[in-house]
Amino acid sequence: MPIVDMLWSGWGDPERAERLPESVAGLLRELLGVHAEPAQPVKLAEIEPPPARPVPGALEDVVGEEHVRADAETRIRHTRGKSTPDLLRIRGGDAGGAPDAVVLPGSHDEVAAVLARCAEHRVAVVPFGGGTSVVGGLAPEAGGYAAVIALDLRRLDRLVGLDPVSRTATLEPGLRAPRAERLLNEQGYTLGHFPQSFEWASIGGFAAARSSGQASAGYGRFDEMVAGLTLATPSGTLEAGRAPKSAAGPDLRQLVLGSEGAFGVITDVTVRIRPLPETRVYEGWLFPSFSEGVTAVRALAQDGPLPTVLRLSDETETMIGLARPDELGERNDAGGCLAVCGYEGTAAEVPDRRAKVRAVLTSLGGAYQGEEPGESWVRGRFSAPYLRDALLDVGVLAETLETAGFWSNLSRLYDAVRLTLSRELPSSVVMCHVSHVYPAGASLYFTVVTAQGERPVERWRDAKAAVSDAIIEAGGTISHHHGVGVDHRDWYAREAGPLGVAVLRAVKDRLDPEGIMNPGVLIPGEG
């Protein structure tokens, strides 16, 4: 039977797919001049992926015949990721680049054996967790290989162990985030990692892409949670992390985190965990302008106290309503910028921290809006990808990109991205929010909405290239948490510099001498 996963032509659970509310359609007609016209995807049964090549190496002997799949539907469901260009292509019936087979190992030893055989026979391997990449992380440049397999890790889905004394848990990479959270909750703990992809992303994907969750102000980024990991490579097994911190040379965990499957396959991750919070409270604050809101957010990031969740939408995102996704379309014409603060912790600690944050925000011009805006954000925190699908249905292109920079440079970076998007995509709506803060700087997360028009994939590719140039020239990083993939690779090379790229190539040559691991992803000059 084919592997049933998220909606093949869009995001998430097919049962949750929704049509665009008329209120939002009205905004689009007003702002973009878009008129609702059906643009439904082709039927899955009508898509014909390229003929599957035989995969050498007798991988059935390693994982079992039932765990090597080459039917059309399974291959299509493992084709590319979930960026808007990915969806536009698959909705149009383009399954180019489909893997020749999907292989499902059930243990570290099976992963290692598959990699060894694939290296021997020059079969490219694409590690596949939740399939949520939006930067071409599942679209390798695999020309010249005997075949390509997607290595689906869903069978590696256990909570291996939990250490309540050290407050760590060891998780397998194919464990999806909701199930991982449930397993931890049953024992009184939480990971506290809730990115927008939470409902479908995997633990291994979080590590491989340096994921950052919406509660990063309180719980930290995923790479900050990792105490240890195991990496299966074509050259053998790498284990890193004997203690929470060490001065025994460079930290090899950091070499693996963010490696996006280019060096090997993460087969387990040991992460620090926290007790389940007794109290959760979310609230909204309104600032007269984005710059004043940024000043207030910076004060909390640098001098405290920090909420668990801290995010600030600019004027456009606040006006459109994307800052409160559960009430999207209820346009806010009052002006200003909405900030959401969330507090999680003990019943004794949360009220005190909340009162101290309130004093800081009030002193810096914030107007308290009550709990409803925060609760609205919580209810809709994972809904944006579903909205994107509905926009595609009415001829609208909606896509996101993100970066990060130092506080002293954040305004310049914000202006550079907005101006470039507006120039490259006329008659578009560009929105932004700050959702991850640090003492030295913050992230900027942009959403652009524009009419698809003709050749939408090419239009976005050209606009994204121009914006990526602008990000590098303005001193930002090419990605804060989406990763590099193929889409950002050339700009990552500019950011890392020639010597940095040479170091990455040397590591890959040692761990993956045949270059079979996700070729063309992350490492410039590969593939």
Side-chain angles (χ1 to χ4, degrees), residues 149-457:
I149 66 166
L151 195 72
D152 191 313
L153 301 170
R154 70 182 60 205
R155 293 179 61 214
L156 278 75
D157 64 350
R158 297 181 302 144
L159 167 60
V160 178
L162 190 148
D163 178 351
V165 176
S166 304
R167 288 186 177 172
T168 63
T170 300
L171 310 170
E172 288 188 322
L175 197 59
R176 297 288 174 86
R179 183 161 182 262
E181 191 66 17
R182 285 196 299 272
L183 291 172
L184 292 173
N185 290 173
E186 288 169 1
Q187 301 195 47
Y189 295 96
T190 180
L191 185 57
H193 191 69
F194 302 101
Q196 193 172 80
S197 61
F198 171 79
E199 295 173 318
W200 293 93
S202 68
I203 295 296
F206 289 156
R210 285 190 186 274
S211 175
S212 191
Q214 294 167 337
S216 64
Y219 291 101
R221 293 165 53 95
F222 193 82
D223 51 5
E224 297 169 336
M225 302 176 183
V226 176
L229 52 80
T230 303
L231 182 75
T233 82
S235 296
T237 297
L238 176 68
E239 295 183 354
R242 297 175 63 93
K245 297 292 181 182
S246 171
D251 189 346
L252 294 179
R253 290 173 296 190
Q254 297 303 319
L255 184 67
V256 177
L257 295 167
S259 59
E260 301 187 26
F263 298 154
V265 178
I266 296 168
T267 56
D268 67 52
V269 182
T270 298
V271 292
R272 66 109 179 97
I273 52 178
R274 304 272 183 88
L276 270 174
E278 298 173 353
T279 300
R280 292 184 173 94
V281 182
Y282 297 86
E283 62 189 24
W285 289 80
L286 196 66
F287 289 88
S289 68
F290 192 51
S291 62
E292 290 169 283
V294 167
T295 297
V297 167
R298 176 169 64 85
L300 295 177
Q302 292 181 330
D303 301 319
L306 263 178
T308 309
V309 171
L310 180 59
R311 54 195 295 123
L312 171 73
S313 294
D314 71 0
E315 290 89 345
T316 306
E317 187 169 283
T318 300
M319 184 268 290
I320 295 295
L322 199 60
R324 299 164 66 169
D326 193 54
E327 301 173 13
L328 188 65
E330 297 181 14
R331 180 168 170 167
N332 171 27
D333 290 315
C337 296
L338 181 67
V340 170
C341 297
Y343 308 86
E344 299 184 5
T346 67
E349 180 269 338
V350 163
D352 179 65
R353 180 157 49 108
R354 188 181 180 192
K356 291 177 179 176
V357 169
R358 177 177 295 190
V360 172
L361 297 183
T362 300
S363 71
L364 293 172
Y368 181 62
Q369 303 294 297
E371 295 182 11
E372 194 281 330
E375 294 301 325
S376 173
W377 173 79
V378 170
R379 290 191 299 269
R381 65 193 299 187
F382 305 130
S383 64
Y386 291 97
L387 171 64
R388 178 185 57 171
D389 290 356
L391 290 169
L392 290 175
D393 288 341
V394 297
V396 175
L397 184 151
E399 187 57 298
T400 63
L401 58 91
E402 39 79 48
T403 181
F406 294 106
W407 290 114
S408 58
N409 193 47
L410 209 63
S411 177
R412 176 189 174 205
L413 187 57
Y414 172 74
D415 289 341
V417 174
R418 289 179 65 250
L419 290 173
T420 303
L421 281 171
S422 298
R423 182 187 71 236
E424 296 294 320
L425 297 170
S427 301
S428 62
V429 175
V430 179
M431 299 166 273
C432 181
H433 64 253
V434 171
S435 52
H436 307 280
V437 299
Y438 312 95
S443 69
L444 293 171
Y445 189 98
F446 294 87
T447 301
V448 59
V449 180
T450 188
Q452 285 182 27
E454 297 181 2
R455 298 168 59 84
V457 173

